[in-house]
Amino acid sequence: MQQIYLDHNATTPVDKEVLEAMLPLFRDAFGNPSSAHARGRAARVCLDQAREQVAALIGAHPVEITFTSGGTESDNLAITGTARALKNKGNHIITSRVEHPAVLNTCEELRKEGFDIGYVPVDSHGRIDCSALADLITDETTLITLQHGNSEVGTLQPIEKIGELARARGVLFHTDAVQTVSKIAVDTQILPVDLLSLSAHKMYGPKGVGALYIRRGTPPLSPLISGGGQEKKRRGGTENVPGIVGLGKAAEIAQSRLESDQSRVSELRNDLRRQIESRIPGARFYGHPEFCLPNTLYLGFDGVEGQTLMIHLDLSGIFVSTGTACSSGSILPSEVLGAMAVPESEMVQTIRISLGRGNQTEDMTRVSDALEKAVLEIRSKTGFSAGAVPK
Ligand SMILES: Cc1ncc(COP(=O)(O)O)c(C=O)c1O
């Protein structure tokens, strides 16, 4: 059975060229970039090249790129590093309830340290209310941290507006762009952001490596990991050279195919949505209809539990994710949907389909066939009548 992977917002397969670029770093080119001899210098050259590749993808200067262990660490460094460094200036940080746990839990830890965390509300599509944001900023606010694209429903935030607002009020702005870098254009020369997180495994690179963009002129962050002075003392520890080289190569490939990937994947996504709408009654779609990641479809079907649907699809070799998380044996509804005021009865009925480079036009028909079959089967078992579909 041909498998269809539709969970690219969770992670992506490593591109063959990325793997090829990484392999020599495990073999002969194993030097420590801090060593002064030829092997060390060769590793340093690899790091420098990767820094240039990542910088080029987001319109940055290489000195503005700090390598980390991934999106989670980049978010932690940006938020905690800024909050602690600017503690004397103020103790107020603004975020939202639709952020990734890497941001939400970092803010929660800061709250325990005595910081005051403000949450800006979102509308029913999960989009930030900019006038509410303006009202939340106080003289104590040092940082606004709001994501660029939502990993679950795909909604894009108005980060140009948010950044302008932050600048006008003298507040630093961090955006978690883990889901947008490589999917849509992200240019730090245009976007008014001071700090930006990205992660390799969301862009056909390896897991466990990412970067934080820190605009030149941003006050020094308090490092989270002290050590031998690597990454300009922003992040101690011998660099993950193979991973960083993989990130660099992934960034170079993403830059060269950005526009073609974006239009191809959004066409597939739109085609799939049309097929679902025309074939399966009682389908609901979430996220912003216009400002949305090109690859993401977040949807639910009346009378069909998301977990059950995901298992049915899994058995057909189609891999999607659900809007609920399993924790200690209980099913927890998504916080993102909660912030969007989606009723709890709907929350448990959702799945996320996130497309990527490997998906083909013909896959979309197989996916809508499998969805239709699974939805009908589940509804017939639970006695749900499609004729009684609420609008
Ligand atoms: C928006 C967002 N931020 C941060 C992360 C965490 O990135 P990483 O898995 O590289 O730690 C993810 C991963 O799912 C994400 O989607």
Side-chain angles (χ1 to χ4, degrees), residues 9-10 69-73 75 100 102 149 151 176 178-179 199 201-202:
N9 287 8
S69 67
T72 301
E73 189 188 324
D75 287 345
H100 189 270
S151 61
D176 175 337
V178 165
Q179 288 294 343
S199 173
H201 76 104
K202 309 289 185 180

Side-chain angles (χ1 to χ4, degrees), residues 14-124:
V14 173
D15 186 293
K16 267 193 202 141
E17 281 185 61
V18 169
L19 181 63
E20 288 302 322
M22 291 172 69
L23 287 176
L25 284 308
F26 292 104
R27 296 184 183 131
D28 301 329
F30 59 82
N32 185 327
S34 298
S35 299
H37 50 64
R39 283 261 160 89
R41 293 198 306 276
R44 171 68 50 198
V45 168
C46 292
L47 278 192
D48 291 346
Q49 190 194 3
R51 214 181 294 281
E52 281 168 20
Q53 289 163 319
V54 173
L57 176 61
I58 58 168
H61 189 281
V63 299
E64 296 175 313
I65 303 298
T66 297
F67 292 120
T68 65
S69 67
T72 301
E73 189 188 324
S74 296
D75 287 345
N76 272 263
L77 178 57
I79 299 167
T80 305
T82 303
R84 289 188 185 151
L86 300 184
K87 207 173 172 175
N88 289 338
K89 212 173 151 233
N91 79 333
H92 185 232
I93 291 158
I94 298 175
T95 188
S96 80
R97 301 265 181 212
V98 296
E99 302 302 310
H100 189 270
V103 169
L104 283 177
N105 291 329
T106 301
C107 289
E108 177 53 23
E109 288 305 314
L110 287 173
R111 194 188 58 75
K112 290 184 203 158
E113 272 184 39
F115 288 93
D116 185 13
I117 313 294
Y119 294 91
V120 59
V122 297
D123 65 16
S124 62

Side-chain angles (χ1 to χ4, degrees), residues 182-264:
S182 88
K183 293 191 185 116
I184 59 172
V186 175
D187 186 347
T188 55
Q189 293 193 21
I190 297 171
L191 297 171
V193 300
D194 302 296
L195 301 143
L196 179 146
S197 304
L198 60 91
S199 173
H201 76 104
K202 309 289 185 180
M203 46 194 265
Y204 307 89
K207 292 168 184 60
V209 59
L212 179 65
Y213 159 83
I214 307 173
R215 186 178 291 282
R216 278 173 289 181
T218 302
L221 307 182
S222 290
L224 302 184
I225 305 174
S226 307
Q230 290 89 349
E231 295 299 289
K232 298 206 171 356
K233 298 200 175 137
R234 287 168 172 160
R235 202 266 183 186
T238 300
E239 299 87 344
N240 169 8
V241 185
I244 290 170
V245 165
L247 167 59
K249 190 70 190 173
E252 184 190 271
I253 297 170
Q255 194 182 1
S256 70
R257 358 182 351 152
L258 187 72
E259 278 172 30
S260 56
D261 274 1
Q262 188 177 342
S263 66
R264 193 177 154 271

